[in-house]
Amino acid sequence: MAPVAVNEPSTTPELVDLKAARNGEDQPTFPKVDWEPLTEVPVIERGLLADPSKRALRSAAQTVRNLTPAIGTEILGLDLRQLTDNQKDELALLIAERGVVFFRDQEIDIHQQLDLARHFGPLHRHATTPIPKNGLEEVHVVYNDSSRRPDPSAFSKLELWHSDVTYEIQPPGPTSLKVITGPEVGGDTLWSSGYALYSSLSPGFQTYLEGLSALHSAVAQAEGSRAAGLHVRRKEIETVHPVVRVHPATGWKSIYVNPGFTRRIIGVPKAESDVILTFLFRQIAENPDFQVRFKWEPNSVAIWDNRIVTHSATFDFWPATRHALRATPHGEKPISVTEYERQTGKKAKDRQLDIWEQQGVNVDQIGSGGALKKRGYND
């Protein structure tokens, strides 16, 4: 959820301005139009079509490096405008495995950004956030300036963590953001891995969560827009999704709740639901082992898989301007562990255990006095 803004006198902070914003067509606007409710649409999982080695993608880049063990990869020397379809498929698989992939020095414009996003799925139109003045309804404009001072009495930092529009029937898959104008310092974004969160849990708790579903709601977001005098372009909905979903390209299990939109666990007492969600939300927001932090530069692009990560911007840059454009393709309807295994005939896996197995690590030795004997903190 975005923080509530209050009006402040305009100032002229030091900014990093990108040339894409010069003509003003990417500035935010709120058209008063009405859209029909979304219905389920077919989505092709491009990661399933990729070469697992990602040879075409890796050979075209200067550098591909992981930023943390759990999440985040940076690719240097690759032009997103020049990707072949095979390379796009391999990028989809890499994003599915690493959660978020970062690029620097990208001259891609918003039309090319939308074309890339369409390769991953049909594009989402957001019901409450601004679109650019050029009328591209599939573009989500992220905009904060000196007139929008975050009000810390209206939200907590934990509440800012979210996966995008998880209340939709088919929430997003690989989602891209390019910053047009950003502060010299601040305005970073953090992502947290749902794979890593699942892997960190005890086997009994994992099994328990796999049998649960949760309610995701657009109501608060829509009501906040109306309270600000803005038109809501599509009626808000609430949707139930599994607490643990499986990514179709990797077969890995991921926790799928977030503070921004998940309201309660279905079918359990409220006290139990509150305890479960509070624990999971705090792990998302507070456990650094699950996270990667990205400092934006001119022409930086991030592409993350909303099915397996949550994210939060840092609102530490006021009164500077932060202006970015997002392209958001729909993913498949979230699928539970049981449903995935029934449909595919494959066993859904714990990412960390699967990686250790691929590395030849004997996971049965964990904590049993073998090579992976438990150790205390000794930094």
Side-chain angles (χ1 to χ4, degrees):
M1 302 292 290
V4 176
V6 297
N7 291 327
E8 293 289 340
S10 178
T11 62
T12 308
E14 187 176 13
L15 299 174
V16 178
D17 291 325
L18 305 188
K19 63 183 181 181
R22 309 284 185 187
N23 60 14
E25 290 198 358
D26 292 328
Q27 293 297 308
T29 185
F30 294 87
K32 192 172 183 179
V33 296
D34 294 301
W35 297 333
E36 292 297 317
L38 294 175
T39 57
E40 198 166 347
V41 294
V43 173
I44 297 173
E45 175 49 55
R46 305 302 306 192
L48 287 173
L49 306 177
D51 174 2
S53 73
K54 308 171 197 69
R55 185 176 296 108
L57 183 71
R58 292 181 179 275
S59 64
Q62 290 179 348
T63 304
V64 180
R65 64 187 184 102
N66 294 340
L67 301 183
T68 80
I71 182 174
T73 296
E74 186 173 56
I75 297 181
L76 301 178
L78 190 71
D79 188 340
L80 288 172
R81 299 172 299 178
Q82 304 299 324
L83 296 183
T84 66
D85 284 352
N86 285 342
Q87 289 171 326
K88 292 174 185 176
D89 292 345
E90 292 175 6
L91 177 58
L93 180 57
L94 180 63
I95 297 166
E97 292 171 347
R98 297 295 304 162
V100 56
V101 177
F102 305 110
F103 303 85
R104 305 285 188 184
D105 304 318
Q106 296 295 317
E107 296 292 341
I108 190 169
D109 64 30
I110 186 55
H111 299 281
Q112 295 162 331
Q113 186 179 344
L114 289 174
D115 286 342
L116 176 60
R118 288 190 188 97
H119 185 80
F120 304 130
L123 296 183
H124 177 261
R125 297 186 300 173
H126 203 293
T128 63
T129 57
I131 68 170
K133 288 183 178 179
N134 59 21
L136 294 173
E137 293 180 339
E138 298 91 353
V139 177
H140 170 111
V141 179
V142 178
Y143 191 87
N144 291 87
D145 61 18
S146 60
S147 69
R148 290 174 53 83
R149 183 181 181 183
D151 178 5
S153 69
F155 64 95
S156 71
K157 292 297 183 181
L158 185 145
E159 291 170 316
L160 294 177
W161 283 90
H162 65 285
S163 298
D164 294 317
V165 297
T166 58
Y167 48 75
E168 301 289 19
I169 299 171
Q170 290 175 263
T175 301
S176 63
L177 186 76
K178 179 175 179 178
V179 168
I180 303 303
T181 303
E184 290 283 1
V185 179
D188 299 352
T189 303
L190 295 91
W191 284 263
S192 181
S193 170
Y195 289 150
L197 174 49
Y198 175 88
S199 294
S200 74
L201 303 175
S202 65
F205 196 40
Q206 289 175 337
T207 300
Y208 173 61
L209 293 180
E210 289 174 15
L212 298 178
S213 296
L215 181 75
H216 297 247
S217 177
V219 172
Q221 189 175 67
E223 289 178 347
S225 292
R226 293 190 183 101
L230 301 173
H231 180 69
V232 176
R233 299 185 287 273
R234 184 169 52 240
K235 183 175 174 54
E236 58 271 30
I237 65 169
E238 295 184 321
T239 307
V240 174
H241 295 309
V243 170
V244 178
R245 71 181 295 178
V246 182
H247 195 292
T250 64
W252 292 339
K253 305 173 188 178
S254 179
I255 297 296
Y256 193 63
V257 299
N258 68 90
F261 300 116
T262 309
R263 296 293 171 256
R264 60 184 171 86
I265 304 293
I266 302 297
V268 304
K270 183 179 185 301
E272 185 175 339
S273 171
D274 290 347
V275 169
I276 294 169
L277 290 180
T278 297
F279 168 75
L280 295 175
F281 293 167
R282 291 184 69 92
Q283 288 294 298
I284 288 169
E286 297 176 3
N287 195 320
D289 294 349
F290 309 158
Q291 297 176 0
V292 65
R293 180 167 179 155
F294 186 60
K295 176 175 173 52
W296 298 94
E297 296 175 351
N299 291 337
S300 293
V301 173
I303 309 179
W304 66 96
D305 198 320
N306 262 304
R307 296 171 287 188
I308 54 170
V309 299
T310 50
H311 62 278
S312 178
T314 57
F315 284 87
D316 55 358
F317 55 88
W318 187 86
T321 296
R322 186 173 183 268
H323 179 196
L325 303 178
R326 192 181 87 194
T328 314
H330 286 279
E332 76 286 354
K333 188 176 180 179
I335 186 170
S336 69
V337 173
T338 299
E339 191 65 14
Y340 171 84
E341 294 180 345
R342 184 187 68 81
Q343 289 184 9
T344 67
K346 301 176 182 178
K347 184 172 178 58
K349 297 182 178 181
D350 178 318
R351 171 190 175 273
Q352 188 60 73
L353 296 181
D354 193 33
I355 289 175
W356 280 335
E357 183 177 331
Q358 293 172 26
Q359 294 172 340
V361 176
N362 185 352
V363 297
D364 293 334
Q365 291 181 342
I366 296 176
S368 63
L372 298 178
K373 184 177 179 180
K374 293 179 181 179
R375 296 180 62 191
Y377 180 78
N378 65 352
D379 192 356

mmCIF file with all atom_site columns, all heavy atoms in Angstrom, residues 170-185:
data_model
loop_
_atom_site.group_PDB
_atom_site.id
_atom_site.type_symbol
_atom_site.label_atom_id
_atom_site.label_alt_id
_atom_site.label_comp_id
_atom_site.label_asym_id
_atom_site.label_entity_id
_atom_site.label_seq_id
_atom_site.pdbx_PDB_ins_code
_atom_site.Cartn_x
_atom_site.Cartn_y
_atom_site.Cartn_z
_atom_site.occupancy
_atom_site.B_iso_or_equiv
_atom_site.pdbx_formal_charge
_atom_site.auth_seq_id
_atom_site.auth_comp_id
_atom_site.auth_asym_id
_atom_site.auth_atom_id
_atom_site.pdbx_PDB_model_num
ATOM 1   N N   . GLN A 1 170 ? -5.790 -13.565 -11.436 1.00 0.00 ? 170 GLN A N   1
ATOM 2   C CA  . GLN A 1 170 ? -4.484 -13.964 -11.961 1.00 0.00 ? 170 GLN A CA  1
ATOM 3   C C   . GLN A 1 170 ? -3.478 -12.845 -11.670 1.00 0.00 ? 170 GLN A C   1
ATOM 4   O O   . GLN A 1 170 ? -3.246 -11.983 -12.511 1.00 0.00 ? 170 GLN A O   1
ATOM 5   C CB  . GLN A 1 170 ? -4.556 -14.219 -13.462 1.00 0.00 ? 170 GLN A CB  1
ATOM 6   C CG  . GLN A 1 170 ? -5.342 -15.459 -13.856 1.00 0.00 ? 170 GLN A CG  1
ATOM 7   C CD  . GLN A 1 170 ? -5.466 -15.575 -15.359 1.00 0.00 ? 170 GLN A CD  1
ATOM 8   O OE1 . GLN A 1 170 ? -6.466 -15.181 -15.946 1.00 0.00 ? 170 GLN A OE1 1
ATOM 9   N NE2 . GLN A 1 170 ? -4.435 -16.119 -15.996 1.00 0.00 ? 170 GLN A NE2 1
ATOM 10  N N   . PRO A 1 171 ? -2.888 -12.869 -10.499 1.00 0.00 ? 171 PRO A N   1
ATOM 11  C CA  . PRO A 1 171 ? -1.914 -11.827 -10.160 1.00 0.00 ? 171 PRO A CA  1
ATOM 12  C C   . PRO A 1 171 ? -0.702 -11.879 -11.093 1.00 0.00 ? 171 PRO A C   1
ATOM 13  O O   . PRO A 1 171 ? -0.508 -12.849 -11.827 1.00 0.00 ? 171 PRO A O   1
ATOM 14  C CB  . PRO A 1 171 ? -1.534 -12.170 -8.717  1.00 0.00 ? 171 PRO A CB  1
ATOM 15  C CG  . PRO A 1 171 ? -2.644 -13.035 -8.216  1.00 0.00 ? 171 PRO A CG  1
ATOM 16  C CD  . PRO A 1 171 ? -3.114 -13.803 -9.413  1.00 0.00 ? 171 PRO A CD  1
ATOM 17  N N   . PRO A 1 172 ? 0.133  -10.840 -11.059 1.00 0.00 ? 172 PRO A N   1
ATOM 18  C CA  . PRO A 1 172 ? 1.201  -10.707 -12.050 1.00 0.00 ? 172 PRO A CA  1
ATOM 19  C C   . PRO A 1 172 ? 2.294  -11.761 -11.964 1.00 0.00 ? 172 PRO A C   1
ATOM 20  O O   . PRO A 1 172 ? 2.544  -12.356 -10.916 1.00 0.00 ? 172 PRO A O   1
ATOM 21  C CB  . PRO A 1 172 ? 1.784  -9.318  -11.755 1.00 0.00 ? 172 PRO A CB  1
ATOM 22  C CG  . PRO A 1 172 ? 0.718  -8.602  -11.005 1.00 0.00 ? 172 PRO A CG  1
ATOM 23  C CD  . PRO A 1 172 ? -0.008 -9.638  -10.228 1.00 0.00 ? 172 PRO A CD  1
ATOM 24  N N   . GLY A 1 173 ? 2.972  -11.929 -13.111 1.00 0.00 ? 173 GLY A N   1
ATOM 25  C CA  . GLY A 1 173 ? 4.193  -12.711 -13.203 1.00 0.00 ? 173 GLY A CA  1
ATOM 26  C C   . GLY A 1 173 ? 5.391  -11.780 -13.301 1.00 0.00 ? 173 GLY A C   1
ATOM 27  O O   . GLY A 1 173 ? 5.528  -10.852 -12.501 1.00 0.00 ? 173 GLY A O   1
ATOM 28  N N   . PRO A 1 174 ? 6.280  -11.976 -14.308 1.00 0.00 ? 174 PRO A N   1
ATOM 29  C CA  . PRO A 1 174 ? 7.484  -11.143 -14.416 1.00 0.00 ? 174 PRO A CA  1
ATOM 30  C C   . PRO A 1 174 ? 7.143  -9.685  -14.716 1.00 0.00 ? 174 PRO A C   1
ATOM 31  O O   . PRO A 1 174 ? 6.614  -9.363  -15.779 1.00 0.00 ? 174 PRO A O   1
ATOM 32  C CB  . PRO A 1 174 ? 8.252  -11.779 -15.582 1.00 0.00 ? 174 PRO A CB  1
ATOM 33  C CG  . PRO A 1 174 ? 7.735  -13.178 -15.671 1.00 0.00 ? 174 PRO A CG  1
ATOM 34  C CD  . PRO A 1 174 ? 6.290  -13.081 -15.294 1.00 0.00 ? 174 PRO A CD  1
ATOM 35  N N   . THR A 1 175 ? 7.445  -8.811  -13.785 1.00 0.00 ? 175 THR A N   1
ATOM 36  C CA  . THR A 1 175 ? 7.032  -7.406  -13.793 1.00 0.00 ? 175 THR A CA  1
ATOM 37  C C   . THR A 1 175 ? 8.256  -6.515  -13.882 1.00 0.00 ? 175 THR A C   1
ATOM 38  O O   . THR A 1 175 ? 9.228  -6.718  -13.153 1.00 0.00 ? 175 THR A O   1
ATOM 39  C CB  . THR A 1 175 ? 6.242  -7.094  -12.515 1.00 0.00 ? 175 THR A CB  1
ATOM 40  O OG1 . THR A 1 175 ? 5.098  -7.964  -12.448 1.00 0.00 ? 175 THR A OG1 1
ATOM 41  C CG2 . THR A 1 175 ? 5.787  -5.650  -12.478 1.00 0.00 ? 175 THR A CG2 1
ATOM 42  N N   . SER A 1 176 ? 8.226  -5.509  -14.760 1.00 0.00 ? 176 SER A N   1
ATOM 43  C CA  . SER A 1 176 ? 9.397  -4.661  -14.967 1.00 0.00 ? 176 SER A CA  1
ATOM 44  C C   . SER A 1 176 ? 9.141  -3.231  -14.512 1.00 0.00 ? 176 SER A C   1
ATOM 45  O O   . SER A 1 176 ? 8.024  -2.719  -14.623 1.00 0.00 ? 176 SER A O   1
ATOM 46  C CB  . SER A 1 176 ? 9.808  -4.662  -16.444 1.00 0.00 ? 176 SER A CB  1
ATOM 47  O OG  . SER A 1 176 ? 8.788  -4.118  -17.259 1.00 0.00 ? 176 SER A OG  1
ATOM 48  N N   . LEU A 1 177 ? 10.190 -2.593  -14.011 1.00 0.00 ? 177 LEU A N   1
ATOM 49  C CA  . LEU A 1 177 ? 10.134 -1.192  -13.595 1.00 0.00 ? 177 LEU A CA  1
ATOM 50  C C   . LEU A 1 177 ? 11.385 -0.486  -14.082 1.00 0.00 ? 177 LEU A C   1
ATOM 51  O O   . LEU A 1 177 ? 12.508 -0.987  -13.905 1.00 0.00 ? 177 LEU A O   1
ATOM 52  C CB  . LEU A 1 177 ? 10.046 -1.080  -12.070 1.00 0.00 ? 177 LEU A CB  1
ATOM 53  C CG  . LEU A 1 177 ? 9.828  0.340   -11.528 1.00 0.00 ? 177 LEU A CG  1
ATOM 54  C CD1 . LEU A 1 177 ? 8.379  0.774   -11.731 1.00 0.00 ? 177 LEU A CD1 1
ATOM 55  C CD2 . LEU A 1 177 ? 10.195 0.426   -10.055 1.00 0.00 ? 177 LEU A CD2 1
ATOM 56  N N   . LYS A 1 178 ? 11.190 0.669   -14.700 1.00 0.00 ? 178 LYS A N   1
ATOM 57  C CA  . LYS A 1 178 ? 12.299 1.536   -15.097 1.00 0.00 ? 178 LYS A CA  1
ATOM 58  C C   . LYS A 1 178 ? 12.102 2.902   -14.463 1.00 0.00 ? 178 LYS A C   1
ATOM 59  O O   . LYS A 1 178 ? 11.031 3.503   -14.603 1.00 0.00 ? 178 LYS A O   1
ATOM 60  C CB  . LYS A 1 178 ? 12.386 1.670   -16.612 1.00 0.00 ? 178 LYS A CB  1
ATOM 61  C CG  . LYS A 1 178 ? 13.526 2.594   -17.051 1.00 0.00 ? 178 LYS A CG  1
ATOM 62  C CD  . LYS A 1 178 ? 13.699 2.654   -18.551 1.00 0.00 ? 178 LYS A CD  1
ATOM 63  C CE  . LYS A 1 178 ? 14.841 3.604   -18.916 1.00 0.00 ? 178 LYS A CE  1
ATOM 64  N NZ  . LYS A 1 178 ? 15.085 3.675   -20.379 1.00 0.00 ? 178 LYS A NZ  1
ATOM 65  N N   . VAL A 1 179 ? 13.119 3.372   -13.772 1.00 0.00 ? 179 VAL A N   1
ATOM 66  C CA  . VAL A 1 179 ? 13.048 4.685   -13.137 1.00 0.00 ? 179 VAL A CA  1
ATOM 67  C C   . VAL A 1 179 ? 13.362 5.761   -14.173 1.00 0.00 ? 179 VAL A C   1
ATOM 68  O O   . VAL A 1 179 ? 14.380 5.706   -14.872 1.00 0.00 ? 179 VAL A O   1
ATOM 69  C CB  . VAL A 1 179 ? 14.013 4.772   -11.944 1.00 0.00 ? 179 VAL A CB  1
ATOM 70  C CG1 . VAL A 1 179 ? 14.153 6.211   -11.465 1.00 0.00 ? 179 VAL A CG1 1
ATOM 71  C CG2 . VAL A 1 179 ? 13.516 3.900   -10.799 1.00 0.00 ? 179 VAL A CG2 1
ATOM 72  N N   . ILE A 1 180 ? 12.472 6.748   -14.260 1.00 0.00 ? 180 ILE A N   1
ATOM 73  C CA  . ILE A 1 180 ? 12.642 7.874   -15.179 1.00 0.00 ? 180 ILE A CA  1
ATOM 74  C C   . ILE A 1 180 ? 13.398 9.007   -14.496 1.00 0.00 ? 180 ILE A C   1
ATOM 75  O O   . ILE A 1 180 ? 14.337 9.562   -15.042 1.00 0.00 ? 180 ILE A O   1
ATOM 76  C CB  . ILE A 1 180 ? 11.266 8.369   -15.674 1.00 0.00 ? 180 ILE A CB  1
ATOM 77  C CG1 . ILE A 1 180 ? 10.499 7.223   -16.347 1.00 0.00 ? 180 ILE A CG1 1
ATOM 78  C CG2 . ILE A 1 180 ? 11.427 9.539   -16.633 1.00 0.00 ? 180 ILE A CG2 1
ATOM 79  C CD1 . ILE A 1 180 ? 11.229 6.572   -17.495 1.00 0.00 ? 180 ILE A CD1 1
ATOM 80  N N   . THR A 1 181 ? 12.967 9.327   -13.291 1.00 0.00 ? 181 THR A N   1
ATOM 81  C CA  . THR A 1 181 ? 13.637 10.335  -12.478 1.00 0.00 ? 181 THR A CA  1
ATOM 82  C C   . THR A 1 181 ? 13.769 9.788   -11.070 1.00 0.00 ? 181 THR A C   1
ATOM 83  O O   . THR A 1 181 ? 12.815 9.243   -10.532 1.00 0.00 ? 181 THR A O   1
ATOM 84  C CB  . THR A 1 181 ? 12.838 11.655  -12.437 1.00 0.00 ? 181 THR A CB  1
ATOM 85  O OG1 . THR A 1 181 ? 12.639 12.125  -13.769 1.00 0.00 ? 181 THR A OG1 1
ATOM 86  C CG2 . THR A 1 181 ? 13.564 12.713  -11.630 1.00 0.00 ? 181 THR A CG2 1
ATOM 87  N N   . GLY A 1 182 ? 14.943 9.935   -10.489 1.00 0.00 ? 182 GLY A N   1
ATOM 88  C CA  . GLY A 1 182 ? 15.151 9.430   -9.139  1.00 0.00 ? 182 GLY A CA  1
ATOM 89  C C   . GLY A 1 182 ? 16.030 10.347  -8.325  1.00 0.00 ? 182 GLY A C   1
ATOM 90  O O   . GLY A 1 182 ? 16.739 11.203  -8.862  1.00 0.00 ? 182 GLY A O   1
ATOM 91  N N   . PRO A 1 183 ? 15.994 10.199  -7.023  1.00 0.00 ? 183 PRO A N   1
ATOM 92  C CA  . PRO A 1 183 ? 16.855 10.997  -6.152  1.00 0.00 ? 183 PRO A CA  1
ATOM 93  C C   . PRO A 1 183 ? 18.311 10.585  -6.277  1.00 0.00 ? 183 PRO A C   1
ATOM 94  O O   . PRO A 1 183 ? 18.612 9.449   -6.652  1.00 0.00 ? 183 PRO A O   1
ATOM 95  C CB  . PRO A 1 183 ? 16.306 10.687  -4.753  1.00 0.00 ? 183 PRO A CB  1
ATOM 96  C CG  . PRO A 1 183 ? 15.711 9.326   -4.887  1.00 0.00 ? 183 PRO A CG  1
ATOM 97  C CD  . PRO A 1 183 ? 15.153 9.244   -6.285  1.00 0.00 ? 183 PRO A CD  1
ATOM 98  N N   . GLU A 1 184 ? 19.197 11.506  -5.977  1.00 0.00 ? 184 GLU A N   1
ATOM 99  C CA  . GLU A 1 184 ? 20.623 11.165  -5.974  1.00 0.00 ? 184 GLU A CA  1
ATOM 100 C C   . GLU A 1 184 ? 20.914 10.078  -4.941  1.00 0.00 ? 184 GLU A C   1
ATOM 101 O O   . GLU A 1 184 ? 21.719 9.182   -5.177  1.00 0.00 ? 184 GLU A O   1
ATOM 102 C CB  . GLU A 1 184 ? 21.458 12.413  -5.649  1.00 0.00 ? 184 GLU A CB  1
ATOM 103 C CG  . GLU A 1 184 ? 21.462 13.454  -6.752  1.00 0.00 ? 184 GLU A CG  1
ATOM 104 C CD  . GLU A 1 184 ? 22.380 13.073  -7.906  1.00 0.00 ? 184 GLU A CD  1
ATOM 105 O OE1 . GLU A 1 184 ? 22.984 11.997  -7.856  1.00 0.00 ? 184 GLU A OE1 1
ATOM 106 O OE2 . GLU A 1 184 ? 22.473 13.867  -8.852  1.00 0.00 ? 184 GLU A OE2 1
ATOM 107 N N   . VAL A 1 185 ? 20.251 10.159  -3.787  1.00 0.00 ? 185 VAL A N   1
ATOM 108 C CA  . VAL A 1 185 ? 20.418 9.188   -2.718  1.00 0.00 ? 185 VAL A CA  1
ATOM 109 C C   . VAL A 1 185 ? 19.039 8.817   -2.189  1.00 0.00 ? 185 VAL A C   1
ATOM 110 O O   . VAL A 1 185 ? 18.187 9.686   -2.001  1.00 0.00 ? 185 VAL A O   1
ATOM 111 C CB  . VAL A 1 185 ? 21.285 9.742   -1.567  1.00 0.00 ? 185 VAL A CB  1
ATOM 112 C CG1 . VAL A 1 185 ? 21.419 8.706   -0.453  1.00 0.00 ? 185 VAL A CG1 1
ATOM 113 C CG2 . VAL A 1 185 ? 22.657 10.169  -2.080  1.00 0.00 ? 185 VAL A CG2 1
#
